[in-house]
Structure formats: C-alpha cells, structure tokens
Amino acid sequence: MRSGGQPIPRVEERRSFLKKGLLGGLILAIGGVGFLASRRSRLAPLPPQGLRVLDPSEYAVVMAIAARMVPGGEGFPSVQEVGVGLNADGILVRTDPAAAKEVKQLLKLFENALAGFIFSARIRPFTQLPPEEQDQVLEEWQSSRLEIRRTGFTALRTLVLASYFGSPLSWPAVHYPGPPPGFHQPDAPVWRGGGEKRPDGNGVFHPEASND
Amino acid sequence: MTEGRIYTGEEVRGGQQLQCDVCVVGSGAGGSVLAHELVSRGLQVVMLEEGGYHTRREFDLQESKAFPNLYQELGNRTTDDLSITILQGRSIGGGTTVNWCSSFRTPKRILDHWRDVHRVDGLSEDVLRPHWEAIEKRLHIAEWPEERMNRNNRVLWDGCGKLGYSRGLIPRNVNNCADLGYCGVGCPIDAKQSMLATMIPDAVEKGLTVYANASARRLRIEGRKVAAVEVDVLDAESRRSSGRTLTVRPKVAAVCGGALNSPALLLRSGLTAHGRVGKRTFLHPVVITVADFDEPVEAFSGAPQSVHSHHFIERGPEKMGFFIEVPPIHPMLGAITLSGFGIHYQRFLSRLPYVNACIALIVDGLLPGEEGGTVGLRAQGDGRLKIRYPLTEPHWEAFRTACKEMARIQFAAGAKTVVTLHSPPLLMRSVDEISKLDSAPWEKLRVRVVTAHQMGGCSMGKDPSTSVVDNRLRYHELDNLFVVDGSVFPTSLGVNPQESIFGIARWAAQHVAAAV
C-alpha cells in the first residue's frame, strides 16, 4: 500500500496532525471535504452512560482499533465486555483539551483513510474494512517510513491499551492477581496542618528508632 | 512559631494576594528539601504545586487512578514526535511520590566533570556529604538487603554474577516497607519516604504554607527582581483553570518545578538567559528488553528496584555509558510499553507472571559537543510544552549495545526467550540470536524509548554565556531568583537522581536564605 508518484511533503516533528497547509492542500487536491464525508463509519452501539468527548464515529474507530489490538479469546475479554470505548472517553475527559482535540482529529483521519487515499488505493473507512485488512492498515502505520503515521499509531495504541488494561476486567487474562489486599486504607486521615496534630505513621521521624 | 497549612484549590478565593520571604514553586525533591531548610531557619515560605494533594487515603494501588492523578499529562507526556515517553510526577511530592525509591549520591566523576568542563565551583563530595548524610538519616536510606530481593531483580543479579559483570544493591528511602511493589502508584502505607510523607509535613509543622492545584504561570519581573509570582488556581478534578488567580509577592523566588517545568516557567516569564533556558535537557533515555522464563517471576510484586549494574557506565571517550536496573511490570504500563498488537501480543501478555524486564539507562550529556534536548513553549492557549530530544548515532549505538548486554544477562539467568521493544518486536531464542539486534530498526518510533529521569534545562555554572544559574543557583541576571532542582545539572548523573536533588537543594538553602 504505497503511493505512486506523489511527492510527500516533509513533515515537521509535531503532534498536530492537521497542520495547515499540508492537509488543507491535500483535501483541496482530492476535490474537497465532501468526498470524504460521504463515506460513513460503521458505527458501534454506544454505551448507556453516554459519551462526553468522543462522537459516535470516533467511538466506533476506537472500538475497531481496540478489537484488532486485543482481539480477545484465549481468556481475554472482548473490547465490548471491557468497555474500552467508554474508558477511552473517560481518559479524554481528563486530558488537556488541546491534546484531546488532536486525538479526535487523529481518529477521524485514521478512519477516513485520508492518508490511505493519498498514499494508497484504499477508499473505505477503517471501520468498514474486514479484520485482515484492518490489521494490514495498523501494521503499515506501525512500521511506516512516514514518521507522522508512526506517531499517530503510537498515540492511538496508547489510548486503546490504557483503556483496556487499566480495567480490572482484563486482569484475569494476564494472570495478574490484582493489588495485595489489606494495605490501602480508604479512611486514612488527610492531614492539612493548621494546628491539627499530625497523625503518627511511617513518614514521621523518630530519631531513636533504628532502620528497617 | 505558627504551624503552616496545606490548601487545595477550592479553598482559595479569587484574587488573593500573599506576601512571604520565599516563594517555592514546586513540591518535588528540590522544592521540598529547600522549603524545609528555609522554614527551619525561621523564614516565611509559601510553596506552590500545580498538581493535586493526593495522599495514601487515595492510593489504592490502581494504575488507572494513579496515572491521571500523580503523573504529568496522565503519564502520557512525551517528546513532540512521541519518540520518547516521559514519566514525570505531578502532585504534592512530585517525582518522589511515584518513583521507585532508588537513592544514590552524586558520583564523584560527575562532580569532577562539572567542575572541569562546566565551570561549576564549590560543589564537591566534601561540600555535599553532610547534606547527603542528613538526608539519608531523615529518609532512612539504606541498602535493600539481598535476601529480600524479588525474582525480577534476581534475574539481573544472577545474570551479572554469571557473566562477571559488576553489580550492587540499591539503597532505598523506605521505612517499614512491606515489600509490595507499588511505589510507582503511590505507597499506601507511607513506607516510601517521599516528600509527601516526610519533608513537606515536617515543614508544614514548622510554618510552611502549601497551595496545591496552584500553577505558577509567570514571574513578574521589575528591574533586577522578581516582584510577584502569578498563579492560576486549578480545579482539582478536571485539572483545568478555575478562573481564579493568586498572586504571591516574595522577597525571593525559588523555581523548583523540575527539568522541563522550571525552564518553561522561566520562558513564560520572558527569562531566556540569552537562549540558554531550556537547553541541555537530559533524560537518561531508557531501552528495555523483556525475558520469558519457565518459572514465575511476578515482577508486579516486591520492592521494584533493588539491584543495579554499573558495569557499562564508562565505555570510552566517544561512547555513551549506561547502567542497568529492572522496572516493575503491572498490566497497564506493561501492555503499553511492550510492543506489537494482535493475537501474538495478547498471548505474550498472558505470560505476565513469567516475565522479567531489564532497563538500560543511557548516560547523556557527557560527550563533548553533546547538546541534549530542548524545552520550549507552544502557542498561546496551549499549555503543553514543546519537548525535543534528538536521538543521535551515539544514542543508537548505546541502545543497541545495551539491548545486547541485557539479553545476554537475561539468558545467563535462564531466560527462554528475550524480546525487544521494537515495533514490531524482535524475538531472540538464545544467546546466539543476539546478533539479530544489529539488523533491527534503530530509528525513532521504531523502538520504545522511555525516560523516568529528567535533568538540565537551567544549567548551573560560572559563565553566564553557557549557564542559566550561577554557582549558588541564582539566576545570573536577577538578584532574587533561584532555581533549585534537577534542572540545574549540566549533564545527566549516571544514577537515579532524587538524592542528588535532595543534596543540592539542602546545600543551596543557605544561599537562598542569604538573599532574603
């Protein structure tokens, strides 16, 4: 899936994926945004809790990428069972707004095959591809000689994996027993000073005590 | 002496104006030790921390909660091109709240190098030793005993032993440690002697006032002085600006935000030191190999770091040295750090209890002409930093050699397979396959590079044309501004940095106090 002929502008090392002048020019070159918008995402059922950052198309792309990254089976729950898309939405709520916006743009870019169209023959959105072709797209982005694609792959992969493996639902599959019980004290006092006596504990220095 | 107080964002009214002797920006290793020394001298100190006040009450040992609360950018801070993942703390206690407790004094050869090459005067082992000793006593720093080493560390220990590579036990700042292995997500029992658990409350008892959720945006400069520190009060939940501000008018300001954040604050304040601010940023860039064993390793359990090898720390005048340790491996960070995707990747992850990882930390900044990375600002309204770190031929040579040596160590310790973090990963089934590493793709974004130690960006030194602060850590061009944290180091250290930062901060306190 390599381009024929088109000289690819040298991309600066930046996180911003919709750099003015690069993609603006490319969109014009293929007849405007209308062409791309006409290709619809294959949507995924939305979580009942609703979404706060991702729109339904972006959500579908997250779930589609996640399903290829962690295909499930062999003890691994599906991305639906883990709620990867909802978890990703939750992460983006807490992310710096400029970074979250870039992730949304990147998801649209990945889905709309803009890069794919310009640099290869693929014209279907990612979510409409069969799994084997989705894997090919991901592999191409992972090893691409275009830095911007490797950067995009890394960003999406991190979001998807944090959304999957941050969930305790994933732990049995990796034989992780969870944190040791009995140490976290959810009612531990939060000391703020202001004349209140500091609670004793391991952080208080007792000069006469010997080292462990 | 009236006792101090820790305030969080919602307690701060808009438009508050504070006066004090010293304003300390940042509550990490440098800021906390400095603040404690200053209040111990009877000075009135206000400390500002942009992160939240998170304590053991919240430390439920879950990665999904810890990374958003305790790390910069949810644990996803990176260089601009995403080629290097930056793990950096962000909360009361800074990096010390989430580090893995390794404590080393600054190596003599590094201090000598700073003296000889970077015109750093007056900073020797003799000068720093009493400070290290005081810190080591207060923080219970002691070698973790060999018999308590977990299996993940034992791989490094045994492998080095078999190959005749030098190895040592790591001193840790812990008190009544329960050997859990969750230092990186906040110690639930305050056994880790982080600044959060020790020096900050010690200082608050002596009068320190701390504001969490308080992001210092700019230093207002009038003539040769910092007149005020302008602060954005953040909402604790969303971490975004609440719209309320705070102004601190100190006699002296000490910037202690750490490498990356300290240079950024200076730049936002128009302080560039003739282009030196934000230059010479060093990262101890890390490469990793992961080994699979027949017997359980359980790298998610037990004191995370207790063994080090400095066998390769000096490799000749044109090569970058490296030191080797191990990281803990928990599901989320482990899955993200490991390379690849799909069914094979998934199967490898199911081997979690059987894998060991080794990390090699490259010692950057020592080669002649080595410039390191840069920190800059982005467009107005975008709070993220511009962080660039060029990976050069000596880096790639060091990464390649380090991966070979770590694989050798892992096979010597009985590993069945060793995998690299290339994208896609490279698998070795025996020592004989280590040479495959020569043809692996050694280029950025093709192999995972991580940093957990950030240094430099406000280098110290006598010469203002090559440094940002002088040999007392005072910003060259102003009378009442100091930088007291890891950003003053002219090179990286070749050891985990926290104790070096504690030491230099404790030493620098006398100079900051004298300026009041």
Side-chain angles (χ1 to χ4, degrees):
Chain A
M1 290 163 77
R2 284 270 180 264
S3 80
Q6 292 260 359
I8 296 158
R10 181 139 177 72
V11 179
E12 282 175 18
E13 297 162 19
R14 300 178 44 149
R15 287 177 71 155
S16 185
F17 298 101
L18 293 185
K19 183 183 170 184
K20 281 193 180 43
L22 170 62
L23 284 154
L26 291 176
I27 287 172
L28 287 173
I30 54 162
V33 181
F35 178 90
L36 295 171
S38 67
R39 289 169 302 137
R40 304 285 296 272
S41 296
R42 180 187 189 147
L43 296 178
L46 296 182
Q49 299 90 331
L51 300 171
R52 289 172 290 173
V53 177
L54 296 170
D55 72 29
S57 170
E58 293 155 2
Y59 176 89
V61 180
V62 169
M63 291 295 270
I65 293 173
R68 300 322 302 153
M69 294 231 160
V70 193
E74 299 180 8
F76 282 76
S78 70
V79 299
Q80 286 78 15
E81 287 168 311
V82 173
V84 167
L86 182 65
N87 295 345
D89 191 63
I91 288 173
L92 290 172
V93 165
R94 293 179 292 188
T95 298
D96 175 89
K101 188 172 167 197
E102 279 183 357
V103 171
K104 286 164 60 75
Q105 288 172 338
L106 175 59
L107 286 165
K108 283 203 152 40
L109 187 73
F110 192 82
E111 165 72 341
N112 288 320
L114 172 61
F117 180 79
I118 295 300
F119 306 135
S120 73
R122 177 167 71 87
I123 57 167
R124 275 197 285 169
F126 183 81
T127 52
Q128 299 277 18
L129 294 174
E132 309 72 42
E133 284 190 44
Q134 290 179 326
D135 287 349
Q136 280 178 15
V137 173
L138 288 166
E139 275 156 20
E140 204 286 325
W141 278 55
Q142 180 182 238
S143 322
S144 178
R145 61 187 177 82
L146 295 176
E147 204 180 290
I148 195 173
R149 278 189 170 181
R150 301 204 303 269
T151 304
F153 175 84
T154 302
L156 295 179
R157 180 181 185 272
T158 300
L159 177 65
V160 157
L161 295 180
S163 302
Y164 188 99
F165 290 102
S167 166
L169 296 172
S170 70
W171 295 348
V174 296
H175 309 290
Y176 170 64
F183 292 94
H184 173 227
Q185 286 188 298
D187 53 358
V190 176
W191 183 75
R192 290 167 174 256
E196 202 186 293
K197 187 176 184 325
R198 179 178 173 187
D200 199 6
N202 290 322
V204 177
F205 189 65
H206 296 289
E208 65 285 352
S210 62
N211 250 343
D212 217 39
Chain B
M1 180 182 302
T2 38
E3 194 169 281
R5 177 91 160 64
I6 299 173
Y7 294 100
T8 47
E10 74 285 356
E11 297 181 273
V12 180
R13 282 185 344 268
Q16 243 177 285
Q17 309 258 332
L18 303 170
Q19 303 206 324
C20 59
D21 292 326
V22 185
C23 180
V24 172
V25 179
S27 70
S32 299
V33 168
L34 174 67
H36 179 261
E37 285 300 300
L38 296 174
V39 295
S40 300
R41 286 165 160 80
L43 294 174
Q44 231 200 328
V45 181
V46 167
M47 172 185 270
L48 305 171
E49 167 54 54
E50 68 170 1
Y53 182 36
H54 299 288
T55 66
R56 68 186 181 92
R57 183 188 181 90
E58 296 174 58
F59 296 163
D60 61 2
L61 289 67
Q62 302 250 4
E63 293 179 282
S64 58
K65 191 147 151 210
F67 280 94
N69 282 346
L70 306 177
Y71 286 81
Q72 289 287 355
E73 299 181 39
L74 284 68
N76 282 337
R77 176 165 269 183
T78 62
T79 50
D80 281 12
D81 57 10
L82 299 198
S83 63
I84 306 178
T85 307
I86 300 173
L87 290 178
Q88 191 179 36
R90 182 183 190 266
S91 72
I92 294 284
T96 69
T97 300
V98 291
N99 71 16
W100 300 333
C101 304
S102 301
S103 309
F104 293 92
R105 296 181 176 188
T106 316
K108 179 178 188 308
R109 71 181 190 108
I110 297 295
L111 293 171
D112 290 347
H113 182 92
W114 291 352
R115 177 197 63 210
D116 299 337
V117 175
H118 295 281
R119 306 193 63 193
V120 171
D121 298 322
L123 206 64
S124 65
E125 281 190 313
D126 287 340
V127 163
L128 289 168
R129 187 175 303 112
H131 299 290
W132 292 330
E133 285 171 354
I135 298 279
E136 287 163 4
K137 185 170 179 199
R138 174 61 188 91
L139 302 185
H140 300 276
I141 291 174
E143 250 178 30
W144 190 247
E146 194 196 326
E147 61 271 15
R148 299 190 76 183
M149 190 186 293
N150 72 359
R151 283 190 292 276
N152 194 34
N153 279 274
R154 190 157 286 287
V155 168
L156 178 59
W157 184 258
D158 286 350
C160 285
K162 291 223 162 69
L163 296 170
Y165 293 169
S166 64
R167 60 188 186 178
L169 299 172
I170 295 182
R172 307 180 66 229
N173 58 322
V174 291
N175 183 29
N176 294 324
C177 176
D179 204 16
L180 303 179
Y182 288 77
C183 316
V185 291
C187 178
I189 59 174
D190 284 347
K192 171 168 33 176
Q193 303 289 278
S194 64
M195 299 293 94
L196 167 72
T198 61
M199 216 63 90
I200 292 174
D202 288 0
V204 170
E205 283 180 320
K206 293 176 181 170
L208 175 68
T209 307
V210 182
Y211 289 87
N213 312 118
S215 180
R217 303 315 299 158
R218 200 171 74 97
L219 306 172
R220 195 184 313 155
I221 312 296
E222 288 167 11
R224 285 187 57 93
K225 286 188 179 283
V226 173
V229 182
E230 295 171 359
V231 182
D232 247 0
V233 177
L234 305 180
D235 178 76
E237 273 307 304
S238 69
R239 275 186 297 285
R240 296 175 193 178
S241 179
S242 69
R244 297 192 303 281
T245 63
L246 181 62
T247 308
V248 185
R249 289 174 206 282
K251 295 186 183 142
V252 173
V255 168
C256 311
L260 310 186
N261 296 327
S262 287
L265 174 57
L266 295 186
L267 291 173
R268 286 196 300 273
S269 312
L271 300 172
T272 62
H274 307 290
R276 302 308 311 157
V277 173
K279 301 289 193 300
R280 293 192 71 80
T281 296
F282 297 109
L283 301 179
H284 279 165
V286 169
V287 284
I288 305 170
T289 56
V290 181
D292 195 352
F293 288 80
D294 283 337
E295 305 80 32
V297 176
E298 294 177 340
F300 42 77
S301 175
Q305 291 196 321
S306 56
V307 174
H308 66 98
S309 173
H310 274 71
H311 189 81
F312 298 98
I313 199 69
E314 290 189 81
R315 299 197 299 128
E318 278 153 31
K319 293 191 176 163
M320 292 168 129
F322 54 87
F323 59 109
I324 303 174
E325 294 173 343
V326 303
I329 309 176
H330 292 97
M332 194 178 89
L333 191 59
I336 289 169
T337 307
L338 194 73
S339 289
F341 68 92
I343 193 75
H344 298 291
Y345 162 81
Q346 183 179 282
R347 279 182 193 145
F348 194 88
L349 286 179
S350 71
R351 299 285 302 159
L352 175 61
Y354 295 86
V355 301
N356 142 274
C358 284
I359 52 176
L361 300 90
I362 308 305
V363 186
D364 49 343
L366 297 178
L367 297 183
E370 229 195 297
E371 306 264 288
T374 57
V375 177
L377 302 178
R378 289 179 179 241
Q380 184 76 353
D382 187 345
R384 296 170 296 172
L385 306 181
K386 240 193 322 215
I387 306 168
R388 293 174 187 185
Y389 188 93
L391 292 168
T392 64
E393 260 318 301
H395 286 101
W396 297 117
E397 186 279 331
F399 290 156
R400 195 168 54 239
T401 306
C403 285
K404 288 181 180 175
E405 293 301 342
M406 290 190 291
R408 226 184 291 281
I409 288 167
Q410 287 163 319
F411 282 121
K416 295 300 163 214
T417 62
V418 175
V419 79
T420 68
L421 300 193
H422 287 89
S423 199
L426 189 150
L427 179 75
M428 292 165 277
R429 295 197 157 84
S430 74
V431 185
D432 302 324
E433 295 196 346
I434 288 178
S435 54
K436 281 160 94 171
L437 284 170
D438 286 326
S439 41
W442 295 101
E443 38 183 71
K444 62 173 170 169
L445 293 158
R446 291 302 305 272
V447 62
R448 174 88 60 236
V449 180
V450 183
T451 167
H453 302 155
Q454 296 82 41
M455 296 152 285
C458 295
S459 294
M460 68 184 292
K462 185 171 177 153
D463 184 354
S465 69
T466 55
S467 59
V468 171
V469 299
D470 67 15
N471 284 321
R472 294 178 173 187
L473 305 193
R474 184 183 60 86
Y475 184 78
H476 281 295
E477 292 162 17
L478 295 178
D479 296 334
N480 69 343
L481 174 61
F482 291 79
V483 180
V484 184
D485 62 21
S487 70
V488 306
F489 297 150
T491 69
S492 77
L493 297 168
V495 289
N496 311 56
Q498 69 171 346
E499 191 175 341
S500 292
I501 301 170
F502 296 147
I504 202 170
R506 199 172 186 282
W507 164 81
Q510 60 189 303
H511 305 304
V512 178
V516 172

